[in-house]
Amino acid sequence: MSRHTPKVALVPSAFFDPALSREVLSRTVELDQEDKVEYISLPEFSAELVYSLSGEEYPEMYYLLKKLPEITEYNKILASFGDGVLTLVISQGDNLLLANTFQAADFTTAEYFLFMAVKKLQLNPEVSTVSFMTPLSGEEEMSLYRYFKAVESL
């Protein structure tokens, strides 16, 4: 079970101290006093995913990072949008370039963050496929097709 949450950070394993998980996460997101902070190792990225969620859930970011190696394109753009949060992971080959979340009230705002990240990383969307882990409406898919070579739903 996954959940869209902006309360997530990817930390290099070499710099990670489990005792400081809450402090590390609070440097990147605003935590409530009752937020429980946990982490999960991602050895394939030499990183720890620090997050705050209740129950037996993992953040959506975990599932995107786990799915990333299955994408065969060189420019790997993997996204998920739900509960007002865009979760975005981008890599070139095996080189992870971005793993971040963005607060987005609607899909148009989520697209803005997606395009901004692609532009900032100097990727050419016309030769790139964007893959979504969450379902897209026909209108959302067509909107993405105007910019990307292909749009996939995983």
Side-chain angles (χ1 to χ4, degrees):
M1 177 185 264
S2 71
R3 189 160 149 227
H4 297 274
T5 179
K7 295 181 181 184
V8 62
L10 195 61
V11 180
S13 296
F15 302 109
F16 182 69
D17 179 353
L20 299 175
S21 296
R22 184 176 189 83
E23 181 182 334
V24 167
L25 187 57
S26 70
R27 289 181 190 166
T28 59
V29 299
E30 188 175 324
L31 293 175
D32 297 324
Q33 192 170 10
E34 66 274 0
D35 283 341
K36 182 179 175 186
V37 175
E38 298 187 27
Y39 68 93
I40 187 166
S41 292
L42 294 167
E44 62 269 42
F45 297 105
S46 300
E48 310 297 321
L49 186 65
V50 184
Y51 62 93
S52 175
L53 281 176
S54 59
E56 299 297 317
E57 302 168 306
Y58 289 129
E60 187 71 7
M61 178 72 70
Y62 172 79
Y63 296 100
L64 267 65
L65 289 167
K66 286 296 196 179
K67 194 78 168 167
L68 196 63
E70 296 176 23
I71 297 174
T72 57
E73 304 269 335
Y74 180 69
N75 290 339
K76 301 176 184 189
I77 305 168
L78 186 54
S80 181
F81 178 67
D83 299 330
V85 177
L86 171 70
T87 304
L88 182 61
V89 174
I90 301 175
S91 74
Q92 282 188 314
D94 293 331
N95 186 22
L96 183 64
L97 302 175
L98 176 84
N100 206 349
T101 61
F102 303 90
Q103 299 273 3
D106 52 39
F107 190 77
T108 301
T109 305
E111 279 183 308
Y112 166 80
F113 287 118
L114 172 62
F115 298 141
M116 180 186 66
V118 167
K119 182 179 178 183
K120 187 74 171 171
L121 295 171
Q122 299 180 345
L123 301 179
N124 183 352
E126 294 175 357
V127 298
S128 301
T129 297
V130 62
S131 302
F132 265 79
M133 295 271 291
T134 48
L136 295 172
S137 71
E139 184 179 306
E140 292 166 343
E141 192 171 328
M142 289 309 296
S143 178
L144 291 168
Y145 264 116
R146 290 188 297 211
Y147 303 97
F148 290 94
K149 172 184 85 169
V151 179
E152 290 183 351
S153 293
L154 304 176

